[in-house]
Amino acid sequence: MTLLRPSTATWPENFLAHRAGRDCPMCRNDWQSDDIGWGLLLHRGEVSQSYLWRSGQVRGYAIVIFTARHVAEPTELSDEEAAAFWRDTLTLGRTLEQYYQPVKMNYLLLGNAIPHAHWHLVPRREAAQDPAPGAPVPFTLLDHGRQEEALLQRDATALRRMLEGAA
């Protein structure tokens, strides 16, 4: 049996306070804005909002943030909220699939850095264009770097049009 070695890593500063909803970085966003700094608004759903994310090195990387109230874990959602959150996520996922034509879509619900319910949607490409074909994308590729702003804006405009047509 292999034992895990003790790690020197720790949870982010104020993690437990943020998890409890105190000074949550996601809750501080201006949900009325079309640009929250981290990303460009694509769609206001039933209980969440969808954004095309600026960070990272994967074109089409998007986030669906639960905005009805602060929730850290999906188990904190009512059945109705959970169903609506998933519908909002699938609406964006289908639109990303149609627009980017990925080989595979990844859906990640993590909250290890910011404990507020949000989905990461990551379009995966053919092997020559994908940073980790057949494996999880290293989170550094989603967190480090910036999308090219003009292309991000063009993609956001096209995705908004598609999402308006889907509503």
Side-chain angles (χ1 to χ4, degrees), residues 98-139:
Q98 184 181 355
Y99 186 70
Y100 293 108
Q101 300 289 303
V103 170
K104 170 79 177 90
M105 284 293 300
N106 286 171
Y107 295 82
L108 301 93
L109 182 69
L110 303 169
N112 296 319
I114 299 177
H116 184 109
H118 62 287
W119 286 99
H120 300 256
L121 281 67
V122 185
R124 304 299 301 273
R125 301 199 163 59
E126 294 180 26
Q129 299 173 329
D130 195 276
V137 172
F139 202 76

Side-chain angles (χ1 to χ4, degrees), residues 42 50-64 92-93 95-97 99-102 104-106 119-125 141-142 147-148 151-152 155-156 159:
L42 296 175
S50 302
Y51 296 87
L52 190 58
W53 225 233
R54 279 196 167 90
S55 70
Q57 302 165 40
V58 177
R59 183 177 175 205
Y61 174 38
I63 305 285
V64 180
L92 180 62
T95 303
L96 294 173
E97 284 179 351
Y99 186 70
Y100 293 108
Q101 300 289 303
K104 170 79 177 90
M105 284 293 300
N106 286 171
W119 286 99
H120 300 256
L121 281 67
V122 185
R124 304 299 301 273
R125 301 199 163 59
L141 294 178
L142 301 176
Q147 300 293 319
E148 195 271 301
L151 182 58
L152 183 81
D155 284 355
L159 289 164

Side-chain angles (χ1 to χ4, degrees), residues 64-87:
V64 180
I65 304 170
F66 189 82
T67 55
R69 61 187 172 90
H70 177 78
V71 170
E73 299 293 342
T75 53
E76 298 169 18
L77 298 169
S78 69
D79 290 347
E80 294 77 17
E81 289 172 324
F85 192 28
W86 187 237
R87 280 191 300 271

Side-chain angles (χ1 to χ4, degrees), residues 5-88:
R5 294 180 186 200
S7 171
T8 59
T10 63
W11 289 101
E13 185 178 357
N14 300 318
F15 182 83
L16 293 177
H18 293 164
R19 188 182 187 291
R22 291 188 303 276
D23 201 28
C24 170
M26 286 230 181
C27 290
R28 289 193 312 248
N29 284 308
D30 176 2
W31 302 123
Q32 301 307 308
S33 178
D34 290 344
D35 185 339
I36 60 170
W38 294 343
L40 301 174
L41 178 70
L42 296 175
H43 184 257
R44 287 185 172 90
E46 294 178 63
V47 295
S48 61
Q49 292 186 185
S50 302
Y51 296 87
L52 190 58
W53 225 233
R54 279 196 167 90
S55 70
Q57 302 165 40
V58 177
R59 183 177 175 205
Y61 174 38
I63 305 285
V64 180
I65 304 170
F66 189 82
T67 55
R69 61 187 172 90
H70 177 78
V71 170
E73 299 293 342
T75 53
E76 298 169 18
L77 298 169
S78 69
D79 290 347
E80 294 77 17
E81 289 172 324
F85 192 28
W86 187 237
R87 280 191 300 271
D88 290 346

